[in-house]
Amino acid sequence: MSAPCRAPVRTLHLTNAYHPTSGGIRTFYRALLDGANARHREMRLVVPGPFDDREEVGDFGRIYYLKARSAPAFDRRYRVILPSAYLANANGALVRILQDERPDLVEICDKYSLFYLAGMLRKEWLPRVPRPILVGVSCERMDDNLRAYLGREALSRRFARWYLRHIYGPPFDYHVANSEYTADELRQVLWDRPPEFIRVCPMGVDAARFGPHHRDELLRRSVLERAGGNPTSTLLLYVGRLSPEKNVALLVATLERLTKASRQDGSPPRDYRLVVAGDGPMRGSMERDASRLVAGRVLFLGAVTEGELLRRYYASGDVFVHPNPREPFGIAPLEAMASGVPVVAPNLGGVLSYATRDNAWLASPEPEAFALAVRSAVERSDDRRLAAARDTAAALDWPVVVDRWFAMYDAFAISHINQNRRLAS
C-alpha cells in the first residue's frame, strides 16, 4: 500500500503567456491562485514584466514578475523570459527564486524559452535547488501555431514533430494538455512513453459570475449604434485575441455572407452587426477587411479588461461567434455559454471538449456554413440548447476544475515518492 504524500504540495508555475490583457492562460493561473488560497496550498507563479516585482495573492499565493524584453516578433504586447534568467552560473533572478522557494513541483507552460529550465533541474545543474517534479503544460498545439505564423503546413508539421520528440518532450516527468485535441500532438510524437506520461485536464469558467442577468439593454443599444445599427439589429460578438492562429478573418467573411443573404432571399431583411472585444496583431488587417467588405458594420472595442463590463458584453450579445477550428480549448465560448448566449463554433478542434450539437451551433469553419449556423441560432430559438450550455459551463466551474488540477499535482507527488522508493530499494 502506498504511503500518502506529504500535503500540500508546493508548486511553482512559469509562463511567458501572461500580460495585463492576455486571455486564457492568465485566467487559468489566476483561478489556480484563488484555489490555492481557498485550499491553503502554497503556489508561486513566475511571469515576465517590465521590471522585477512581487505580488502577494492572499496568504498562500505569490506572483513574481521578472524584468523581460518585449517579444521580438508576432505580438509585442507579450514579454519573454529568456534562458539568461536561469543559467546556473549567472545567479539570475529565477535561480534565486527557485533557491528561496524550493518547490516540490515545477510546472512550465512554454515550449520555446522557459522549458530548458526543466532539463537543468532534471540534471541537477542548480545545486542549491532540490530536484522537483517537472511538469510541462501544453495550452496550444505547436504545429498549429507554426502554420498560422509561418505557413508551409507540411514543413511546419515536420519541424514541430521533430522538436517535440527530441527537444521539448524529454525533460519532463509528465505532460498535461488542456484538451484531447492538444494532447494528440504530444501522443503522436511521444508514442513510446507510458500512458500516464501525458494527461488531459481542462480549463474552466467562472460560472457564478457570468450569466443572463448581466444583460444590459442600454449597453447593447449603445454598441449597436456605434456599429452603425439600431436596437432591432442582431449583435454578433467575438471576444478574444486578434492573432493569426485565431482564424479571425472568418468573422468579417461570415458577416459579409449574412449581409448579402439578408438582401437576396425572400424573408424580411435582418440587420447584422459585429462587435469585436479584443486586440492583437491582426487588428489592422481585420479593420481593412471590414472597411472593404462590410463598411460601417463592425465595431472594434479593443481589449476589455474590466470584468463586470466584459460580463455585460457577453450577456448583451445575440450570438457569440468563435471562428477558430484549431482552438486548443477555448475559454471565451464557455463564458458565452455561461452567459446564456447562443454559441456558433467550428465542428473541429479543442472546443469540442465541451461544445456539442446539444449545447452549441457547430459548423464547418467556412463563411457560408458559419453564416447558416448564425442564422439558425438567431431564427430558431432553442431554450433546451441554451439550458444545456449553461449546464456545461456549470460542470466546468473553476472550483471544480481547480480541484482536478490540484488532485493531479498530488497524484504526481505520490507517484514520484513511490518511484524513488523503488529505485532506492
Side-chain angles (χ1 to χ4, degrees), residues 39-83:
R39 295 158 184 79
H40 294 188
R41 303 178 64 113
E42 288 193 71
M43 175 182 163
R44 305 294 184 254
L45 176 64
V46 181
V47 299
F51 46 81
D52 290 340
D53 199 4
R54 192 170 90 172
E55 175 188 352
E56 301 298 330
V57 183
D59 294 330
F60 295 88
R62 179 178 297 157
I63 302 177
Y64 289 98
Y65 298 89
L66 298 188
K67 184 177 180 179
R69 295 180 178 179
S70 296
F74 306 129
D75 192 340
R76 292 184 60 81
R77 294 175 303 161
Y78 288 87
R79 294 176 181 271
V80 180
I81 300 172
L82 297 172

Side-chain angles (χ1 to χ4, degrees), residues 50-281:
F51 46 81
D52 290 340
D53 199 4
R54 192 170 90 172
E55 175 188 352
E56 301 298 330
V57 183
D59 294 330
F60 295 88
R62 179 178 297 157
I63 302 177
Y64 289 98
Y65 298 89
L66 298 188
K67 184 177 180 179
R69 295 180 178 179
S70 296
F74 306 129
D75 192 340
R76 292 184 60 81
R77 294 175 303 161
Y78 288 87
R79 294 176 181 271
V80 180
I81 300 172
L82 297 172
S84 57
Y86 53 82
L87 290 177
N89 60 355
N91 193 31
L94 183 48
V95 175
R96 293 194 298 273
I97 291 170
L98 289 164
Q99 290 171 348
D100 292 342
E101 295 291 353
R102 300 172 70 84
D104 302 309
L105 181 149
V106 169
E107 176 185 276
I108 300 173
C109 181
D110 181 89
K111 289 186 170 74
Y112 306 102
S113 71
L114 279 173
F115 84 94
Y116 295 104
L117 175 63
M120 294 179 62
L121 292 171
R122 189 180 194 89
K123 293 179 180 295
E124 300 185 36
W125 286 355
L126 301 177
R128 295 175 57 193
V129 181
R131 202 287 207 193
I133 303 161
L134 299 167
V135 179
V137 169
S138 287
C139 290
E140 82 294 321
R141 287 179 57 127
M142 187 175 183
D143 57 357
D144 286 344
N145 279 358
L146 289 177
R147 178 168 47 244
Y149 284 95
L150 304 177
R152 305 185 68 178
E153 181 172 349
L155 180 61
S156 295
R157 184 183 297 112
R158 284 199 300 272
F159 178 79
R161 290 175 65 88
W162 171 83
Y163 184 90
L164 295 173
R165 171 74 181 176
H166 299 288
I167 308 298
Y168 172 73
F172 293 100
D173 299 310
Y174 302 97
H175 286 273
V176 183
N178 59 359
S179 68
E180 293 292 340
Y181 175 74
T182 306
D184 282 345
E185 180 184 43
L186 294 172
R187 290 180 179 137
Q188 289 169 13
V189 298
L190 301 169
W191 51 268
D192 52 348
R193 301 302 180 94
E196 63 272 16
F197 184 62
I198 299 170
R199 311 289 184 94
V200 174
C201 212
M203 299 286 102
V205 62
D206 194 337
R209 291 192 179 182
F210 291 87
H213 58 281
H214 288 292
R215 188 171 179 88
D216 184 333
E217 292 298 337
L218 290 177
L219 176 69
R220 181 178 182 278
R221 184 177 303 129
S222 171
V223 295
L224 280 173
E225 287 177 358
R226 292 166 63 193
N230 58 69
T232 66
S233 300
T234 298
L235 194 164
L236 309 182
L237 178 68
Y238 170 78
V239 177
R241 215 163 60 246
L242 306 182
S243 53
E245 75 274 17
K246 297 297 186 180
N247 195 40
V248 290
L250 179 58
L251 295 169
V252 173
T254 298
L255 181 61
E256 182 193 22
R257 296 297 193 283
L258 288 166
T259 302
K260 289 181 176 178
S262 67
R263 293 170 180 166
Q264 292 174 358
D265 66 18
S267 62
R270 183 180 293 275
D271 183 62
Y272 292 92
R273 304 286 158 161
L274 172 64
V275 175
V276 177
D279 210 343

